[in-house]
């Protein structure tokens, strides 16, 4: 079909040429001194076209000959650039394949090709990326000297190249991650502090800051960072709640006296102070520091809304209140009796009421509540043992040595 089309076009061209050039009687005369040359107009036009074609061909040939060295240099540079790209892709492939020694060698080969070609050495983004691959591979091989050297060169190249900003940010994040792997929290936090505000708000930077803060035993800073991560959906909802709760409890446990504990409690977010388990941990710490009245004050809002709490929350509240019973006032008895009436089969409520009654020296009813709690196998071992020991104290005050011995024996059997 193609051949038929070409034949038709050739016939058309022949017809057009015959109609155009067949009846042309014009002449073209050329004079040079005493000479004269006459050519038909058709021949002159054909020679003119052929001459123009020959001139263009000659000019292109000369241009090709004159630019041959330049084109050869560009071809060699393209070949070197292609080889460097292949080496860098090989380095990434080897790295992801966990062949870190090969990855480092391939990245070094790419760097050598680039550095030996002056025109290619101006590509700062490529050089910085190759240095980062080599540095990461060296880090996996525990070669800190080569890792730090490649990192230094990557930062130096990125700082002098306008198009390597992303590589510079990546280098600083990687350096912070390596510092955390080396358990060097101050260096990691220092590197993260040097990041620009935009980079410091990224999820990866916040994750690294969270790890660094926890490693440096800065639970309040870690708590603020974790809250930012939760806000940016860096964790699932359940994981975020558990992490925030554990960090808040860790922050409370850093207090060495009651003033520090109060300061930490005030620095917590309002949502943390509304967490039953955080408040229970704060009350435990207050009791341990000799300020049970502060603990009771932090627990009071939850006991007033005891019907809204679940079983685990009620247990945490009861065990925390038991530690805060020294100095407990009579207003708590009505609150605890109401809780027992609402949850008559809940041993944790009986536990709290029993210790409160014992603190108020209401021995008879306290003994009934404590025995109920001590026999409840659903309570924790520590809570049951504490109930038996309190019963032993009450028996000692009643000079009942036999009952005291039975209570101590029951506490010992709990392990």
């Amino acid at each position: 079909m193609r051949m038929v089309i070409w034949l038709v076009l050739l016939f058309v061209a022949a017809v057009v040429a015959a109609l155009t050039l067949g009846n042309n009687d014009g002449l073209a005369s050329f004079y040079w001194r005493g000479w004269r040359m006459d050519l038909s107009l058709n021949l002159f036009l054909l020679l003119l076209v052929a001459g123009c074609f020959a001139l263009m061909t000659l000019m292109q040939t000369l241009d090709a000959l004159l630019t041959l060295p330049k084109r050869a240099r560009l071809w060699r540079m393209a070949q070197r650039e292609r080889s460097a790209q292949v080496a860098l892709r090989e380095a990434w492939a080897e790295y992801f394949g966990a062949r870190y020694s090969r990855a480092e060698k391939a990245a070094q080969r790419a760097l050598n090709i680039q550095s030996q070609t002056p025109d290619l050495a101006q590509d700062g983004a490529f050089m910085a990326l190759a240095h980062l691959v080599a540095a990461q591979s060296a880090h996996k091989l525990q070669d800190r000297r080569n890792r730090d050297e490649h990192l230094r060169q990557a930062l130096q190249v990125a700082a002098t190249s306008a198009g390597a900003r992303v590589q510079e940010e990546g280098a600083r994040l990687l350096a912070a991650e390596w510092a955390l792997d080396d358990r060097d929290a101050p260096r990691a936090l220092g590197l993260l502090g040097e990041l620009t505000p935009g980079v410091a708000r990224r999820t990866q930077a916040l994750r690294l800051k969270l790890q660094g803060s926890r490693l440096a035993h800065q639970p309040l800073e870690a708590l603020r960072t974790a809250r930012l991560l939760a806000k940016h959906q860096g964790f699932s909802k359940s994981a975020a709640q558990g992490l925030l709760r554990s960090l808040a409890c860790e922050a409370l446990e850093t207090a060495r006296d009651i003033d520090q504990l109060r300061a930490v409690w005030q620095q917590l977010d309002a949502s943390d102070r509304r967490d039953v388990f955080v408040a229970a941990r704060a009350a435990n710490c207050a009791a341990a520091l000799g300020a049970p009245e502060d603990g009771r004050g932090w627990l009071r809002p939850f006991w007033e809304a005891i019907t809204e709490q679940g079983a685990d929350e009620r247990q945490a509240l009861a065990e925390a209140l038991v530690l805060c019973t020294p100095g407990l006032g009579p207003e708590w008895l009505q609150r605890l009796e109401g809780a027992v009436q609402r949850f008559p089969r809940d041993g944790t409520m009986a536990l709290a009421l029993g210790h409160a009654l014992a603190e108020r020296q209401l021995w008879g009813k306290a003994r009934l509540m404590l025995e109920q709690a001590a026999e409840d196998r659903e309570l924790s071992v520590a809570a049951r043992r504490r109930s038996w020991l309190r019963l032993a104290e009450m028996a000692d005050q009643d000079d009942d040595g036999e009952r005291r011995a039975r209570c101590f024996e029951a506490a010992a059997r709990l392990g």
Side-chain angles (χ1 to χ4, degrees), residues 381 384-386 388-389 392 404-415:
V381 174
R384 295 176 62 194
R385 184 186 297 113
R386 190 175 291 112
W388 283 118
L389 293 176
R404 175 174 175 272
R406 288 200 307 269
C407 291
F408 276 127
E409 182 181 0
R413 286 179 180 176
L414 293 176

Side-chain angles (χ1 to χ4, degrees), residues 6 13 27 36 72 103 110 124 143 168 190 235 366 375 394:
W6 277 110
L27 290 176
R36 172 185 171 183
D143 187 355
E168 181 180 5
F235 305 108
E375 297 293 344
M394 294 168 59

Side-chain angles (χ1 to χ4, degrees), residues 68-217:
L68 182 60
K70 180 180 179 181
R71 290 188 292 109
R73 183 174 61 83
L74 292 176
W75 180 83
R76 289 193 299 269
M77 188 171 65
Q79 290 295 106
R80 286 180 171 272
E81 184 178 10
R82 189 177 296 110
S83 300
Q85 295 286 348
V86 169
L88 184 60
R89 288 198 299 269
E90 180 185 351
W92 278 115
E94 297 290 357
Y95 174 79
F96 289 126
R99 292 188 287 265
Y100 304 118
S101 179
R102 295 183 183 181
E104 185 178 5
K105 292 178 181 177
Q108 189 62 53
R109 188 164 64 253
L111 289 169
N112 293 337
I113 295 173
Q114 289 286 107
S115 60
Q116 292 172 5
T117 308
D119 294 327
L120 298 180
Q122 304 302 320
D123 189 355
F126 181 91
M127 297 286 286
L129 187 59
H131 278 300
L132 288 181
V133 179
Q136 183 73 349
S137 301
H139 174 71
K140 294 294 185 180
L141 296 171
Q142 299 295 316
D143 187 355
R144 292 183 175 85
R145 185 178 63 84
N146 282 336
R147 179 198 68 186
D148 295 339
E149 178 62 23
H150 281 296
L151 176 64
R152 183 189 65 79
Q153 294 182 18
L155 290 173
Q156 182 178 358
V157 171
T160 58
S161 177
R165 181 179 178 183
V166 176
Q167 285 79 358
E168 181 180 5
E169 295 171 355
R172 296 190 183 279
L173 288 174
L174 281 176
E177 184 177 350
W178 298 337
L180 290 176
D181 290 342
D182 295 339
R183 312 296 293 177
D184 190 352
R187 181 168 180 266
L189 294 175
L191 289 169
L192 292 172
E194 296 174 0
L195 297 175
T196 60
V199 181
R201 288 194 297 268
R202 294 175 185 172
T203 302
Q204 177 63 12
L206 291 175
R207 289 181 186 275
L208 295 175
K209 187 177 181 180
L210 174 60
Q211 297 177 24
S213 299
R214 299 192 72 177
L215 186 61
H217 303 291

